[in-house]
Amino acid sequence: MKHLSTLSATALLSLSLAGGAIAADLKPEEQIETRQAGYQFMSWNMGKIKASLSGDYNQETVQKAAEAIAGIANSGMGALYGPGTDKDVNGVKTRVKPELFTEQAEVGKVAGDFVAAANNMAEVAATGDEAEVKQAFGALGESCKACHKQFRKDD
Amino acid sequence: MKHLSTLSATALLSLSLAGGAIAADLKPEEQIETRQAGYQFMSWNMGKIKASLSGDYNQETVQKAAEAIAGIANSGMGALYGPGTDKDVNGVKTRVKPELFTEQAEVGKVAGDFVAAANNMAEVAATGDEAEVKQAFGALGESCKACHKQFRKDD
């Protein structure tokens, strides 16, 4: 674990614990659907930020979108990767790779980086400086892609 | 509109504007899926709060769940009720009642009450006082139900 930064380790802990006892309450297919719901809602908000940065910059839209993303990122989605959620189940499909369930240190790193980037984005969005927001948004997008590349199947 | 409180009117404005130009970017079926994703993710977090209040109270879990709900509630979901999203479309089902698209003042009231209750819940959760959290959570649940009762079909 020593290659994990303190921030990543803290974020990983947060991912693991915040939803802690809850995974057991959702069936595997419900866990898959719920994590996908979180990603879909974040994706919509990423799209709003991208559109705002590409057109007329709207600080309020960007800040609210960034806060939605950060709220979801901080909510303990690790709990939605419980036993039995590593493959399609009861008609609910998942693109997760098996590696996500075995490479704990690497998962902790990408998850921690993502949470940190989402929180940074929300902080920067509150300042309303478009150039800084663009940079923070780019970093957040990279943190998404890093996980997709390693732990999500292409189709 | 005069029966709307200032808070509700402000929240409604926020609902309408925050996602403003974005509805046009998503197809009707994508708008339906995205709003359902938001509700599903909020429901998961409501369940975590309920479980925490029913068992061993975990302030961090409750606060993070409340912040996820507030982030989603504040993100301008009104933009996901665009033209063509009032009925099933391209295989994507919706339980929304037609009244949601015609009773603007009443929709503004229930939406504004919900956003206010979600923000209150997040503020109260940050204090960690379980009795106050229970009250705020009850009020938030009532605001969900008020909309479901008026604007969501039972099946």
Side-chain angles (χ1 to χ4, degrees), chain A residues 14 17-19 22 25-26 30 33-38 40-41 44-45 47-48 51 60-61 64-65 67-68 71-72 74-77 79-80, chain B residues 14 17-19 22 25-26 30 33-38 40-41 44-45 47-48 51 60-61 64-65 67-68 71-72 74-77 79-80:
Chain A
S14 167
L17 296 182
I22 308 303
D25 297 341
L26 293 184
E30 293 170 334
E33 285 177 340
T34 303
R35 70 196 189 205
Q36 289 173 345
Q40 182 165 9
F41 206 81
W44 176 52
N45 284 284
K48 288 191 282 187
E60 187 190 350
T61 296
K64 285 178 181 298
E67 286 171 354
I72 293 170
N74 288 321
S75 69
M77 291 184 74
L80 298 170
Chain B
S14 167
L17 297 181
I22 306 305
D25 297 340
L26 293 183
E30 292 169 335
E33 286 176 340
T34 304
R35 70 197 189 202
Q36 290 174 345
Q40 182 166 9
F41 206 80
W44 176 53
N45 283 283
K48 286 190 283 185
E60 187 190 349
T61 296
K64 286 178 181 296
E67 287 172 354
I72 292 170
N74 288 320
S75 70
M77 291 185 75
L80 299 170

Side-chain angles (χ1 to χ4, degrees), chain B residues 35 81-83 85-86 96-104 107:
Chain B
R35 70 197 189 202
Y81 290 86
T85 69
D86 57 332
V96 73
K97 288 184 183 171
E99 290 84 346
L100 187 129
F101 298 87
T102 54
E103 298 179 4
Q104 292 189 10
V107 171

Side-chain angles (χ1 to χ4, degrees), chain A residues 3-155:
Chain A
H3 69 284
L4 289 181
S5 69
T6 305
L7 187 60
S8 296
T10 305
L12 173 59
L13 200 66
S14 167
L15 278 174
S16 309
L17 296 182
I22 308 303
D25 297 341
L26 293 184
K27 294 175 190 170
E29 57 269 38
E30 293 170 334
Q31 292 179 45
I32 294 172
E33 285 177 340
T34 303
R35 70 196 189 205
Q36 289 173 345
Y39 295 127
Q40 182 165 9
F41 206 81
M42 288 195 284
S43 174
W44 176 52
N45 284 284
M46 290 294 282
K48 288 191 282 187
I49 298 171
K50 187 178 179 182
S52 195
L53 286 168
S54 306
D56 287 336
Y57 186 69
N58 183 314
Q59 194 268 334
E60 187 190 350
T61 296
V62 169
Q63 184 175 348
K64 285 178 181 298
E67 286 171 354
I69 293 166
I72 293 170
N74 288 321
S75 69
M77 291 184 74
L80 298 170
Y81 290 87
T85 70
D86 57 332
K87 55 185 178 304
D88 301 349
V89 53
N90 287 335
V92 176
K93 291 182 182 298
T94 175
R95 292 161 69 188
V96 72
K97 289 184 184 172
E99 289 83 347
L100 186 130
F101 297 86
T102 54
E103 297 179 5
Q104 293 191 10
E106 189 58 21
V107 170
K109 184 180 183 324
V110 297
D113 287 351
F114 162 62
V115 171
N119 285 325
N120 180 61
M121 175 70 206
E123 281 177 31
V124 172
T127 71
D129 180 324
E130 188 174 350
E132 286 178 332
V133 165
K134 191 169 279 192
Q135 191 168 24
F137 180 67
L140 176 55
E142 288 305 315
S143 78
C144 297
K145 284 181 197 162
C147 188
H148 295 172
K149 189 174 176 185
Q150 290 186 75
F151 297 113
R152 191 177 74 170
K153 292 173 193 163
D154 287 337
D155 50 56

Side-chain angles (χ1 to χ4, degrees), chain B residues 4-142:
Chain B
L4 288 181
S5 69
T6 305
L7 186 60
S8 296
T10 304
L12 172 60
L13 199 68
S14 167
L15 278 174
S16 309
L17 297 181
I22 306 305
D25 297 340
L26 293 183
K27 295 175 189 168
E29 58 268 37
E30 292 169 335
Q31 292 178 45
I32 295 171
E33 286 176 340
T34 304
R35 70 197 189 202
Q36 290 174 345
Y39 296 126
Q40 182 166 9
F41 206 80
M42 288 194 286
S43 175
W44 176 53
N45 283 283
M46 290 293 283
K48 286 190 283 185
I49 297 171
K50 187 178 180 183
S52 195
L53 285 168
S54 306
D56 287 336
Y57 186 69
N58 184 313
Q59 194 270 333
E60 187 190 349
T61 296
V62 169
Q63 183 173 350
K64 286 178 181 296
E67 287 172 354
I69 292 166
I72 292 170
N74 288 320
S75 70
M77 291 185 75
L80 299 170
Y81 290 86
T85 69
D86 57 332
K87 53 186 179 303
D88 301 349
V89 54
N90 287 334
V92 176
K93 293 184 181 298
T94 174
R95 292 162 69 188
V96 73
K97 288 184 183 171
E99 290 84 346
L100 187 129
F101 298 87
T102 54
E103 298 179 4
Q104 292 189 10
E106 189 58 22
V107 171
K109 184 182 181 323
V110 296
D113 287 351
F114 162 62
V115 170
N119 285 326
N120 179 61
M121 175 70 207
E123 282 176 32
V124 172
T127 71
D129 181 321
E130 189 175 349
E132 286 178 331
V133 165
K134 190 169 278 192
Q135 191 168 26
F137 180 67
L140 176 55
E142 288 304 315

